[in-house]
Amino acid sequence: MKKLLKIIDYIFATILIVGFGVMLTALVYTFIDLNKNSYLTTPSKDSIDFFLKSFDWCKSIIGSVFIMFSVFYAFQTFKIHYKNQLFNNNVVPREKNINDKLSRIKETNKMLHSFINRKGREIITMIVYDEENNHINDKRRLKHYFNKYLKDEIKDFEHSRNYGNKCCSDCVNCEHRGSPINNTGLSFDDFKLFAFELFCVSLAYPTNFETDIEEMYKGSLN
């Protein structure tokens, strides 16, 4: 459905651009032709009638463009409705489940808590809107989103988990920044609480999700 909508959107946009181009060309051509016609130099009923009739030949072009624009507008309205439906049926319940679990890590991993608060909805929405079945169905797609959103954050999660309540939620300016950090993947225990929902993993995911995500997670610490 999503691929079909993208194709239709592209076709509509292309036709509209071409249609507006043809319409503007026809209007400009007609105005140039009228400008050369001395018959219009003196305003009168006949000259006004002549002016209006001069556009008769391109009325069908103008009408077709406006009809196409109306259809395109209706299609965009349908797309918005479809996206809202996806959001309400897929993003909202997952986000709610994640938020219910976030309180468990607020004190032990402030950086992870802050990150999920800021980026959780964006990650879920991107997956739901881009993936054909609103889910991640295999390890390849899981790795794509993991690398895009999480890979560069993992060391900060570890830093935060290592210092717990002492973490100031700002790894750049933290007074412990230069201190040794336990990069053994302790923060994964916090992350896996909502990883399945965050990445919208399909129930039909073919391999062991937790094993795959732990491999990616701990691999980012090297």
Side-chain angles (χ1 to χ4, degrees), residues 170-207:
D170 180 4
C171 289
V172 175
N173 299 311
C174 180
E175 61 180 310
H176 302 292
R177 184 62 175 173
S179 304
I181 298 172
N182 185 353
N183 276 338
T184 57
L186 290 177
S187 58
F188 179 73
D189 288 337
D190 299 324
F191 177 70
K192 70 180 180 182
L193 287 173
F194 36 75
F196 189 89
E197 289 155 332
L198 180 68
F199 287 109
C200 308
V201 179
S202 169
L203 293 174
Y205 188 85
T207 55

Side-chain angles (χ1 to χ4, degrees), residues 22-216:
V22 173
M23 183 181 74
L24 289 174
T25 301
L27 291 175
V28 170
Y29 173 81
T30 303
F31 275 113
I32 292 173
D33 187 60
L34 286 170
N35 189 52
K36 294 178 180 179
N37 196 317
S38 58
Y39 183 70
L40 296 177
T41 54
T42 304
S44 65
K45 182 178 180 302
D46 290 339
S47 64
I48 293 173
D49 288 341
F50 179 80
F51 176 81
L52 294 175
K53 288 179 180 178
S54 298
F55 293 91
D56 284 350
W57 74 276
C58 61
K59 280 183 179 178
S60 60
I61 297 174
I62 297 172
S64 297
V65 170
F66 278 99
I67 290 172
M68 183 57 65
F69 180 80
S70 299
V71 174
F72 181 72
Y73 179 80
F75 176 71
Q76 295 304 314
T77 302
F78 170 78
K79 268 180 52 181
I80 291 172
H81 174 74
Y82 176 71
K83 282 194 170 185
N84 287 339
Q85 191 176 43
L86 283 179
F87 185 85
N88 291 328
N89 293 340
N90 294 277
V91 179
V92 172
R94 286 189 173 92
E95 187 178 30
K96 182 181 182 303
N97 289 338
I98 288 174
N99 288 338
D100 289 343
K101 297 174 182 177
L102 269 179
S103 59
R104 302 185 200 176
I105 67 165
K106 189 171 185 178
E107 296 303 319
T108 59
N109 202 325
K110 294 179 183 178
M111 286 298 293
L112 177 56
H113 182 276
S114 174
F115 177 83
I116 299 300
N117 265 332
R118 288 184 291 107
K119 304 289 286 186
R121 174 180 288 191
E122 179 185 339
I123 296 170
I124 297 171
T125 303
M126 189 65 66
I127 294 171
V128 168
Y129 285 177
D130 285 355
E131 295 300 308
E132 189 62 28
N133 297 312
N134 313 327
H135 296 99
I136 286 180
N137 295 304
D138 56 55
K139 184 177 180 179
R140 180 183 63 84
R141 296 304 294 164
L142 175 64
K143 190 170 185 178
H144 166 77
Y145 288 104
F146 179 87
N147 289 344
K148 182 175 182 179
Y149 290 105
L150 268 297
K151 186 175 182 180
D152 294 338
E153 309 291 333
I154 304 302
K155 289 185 179 179
D156 285 346
F157 297 161
E158 285 298 309
H159 181 276
S160 182
R161 182 69 172 80
N162 192 65
Y163 289 106
N165 291 330
K166 296 179 182 179
C167 174
C168 65
S169 297
D170 180 4
C171 289
V172 175
N173 299 311
C174 180
E175 61 180 310
H176 302 292
R177 184 62 175 173
S179 304
I181 298 172
N182 185 353
N183 276 338
T184 57
L186 290 177
S187 58
F188 179 73
D189 288 337
D190 299 324
F191 177 70
K192 70 180 180 182
L193 287 173
F194 36 75
F196 189 89
E197 289 155 332
L198 180 68
F199 287 109
C200 308
V201 179
S202 169
L203 293 174
Y205 188 85
T207 55
N208 187 301
F209 166 73
E210 189 168 314
T211 300
D212 288 345
I213 198 69
E214 184 173 11
E215 175 190 317
M216 296 175 199

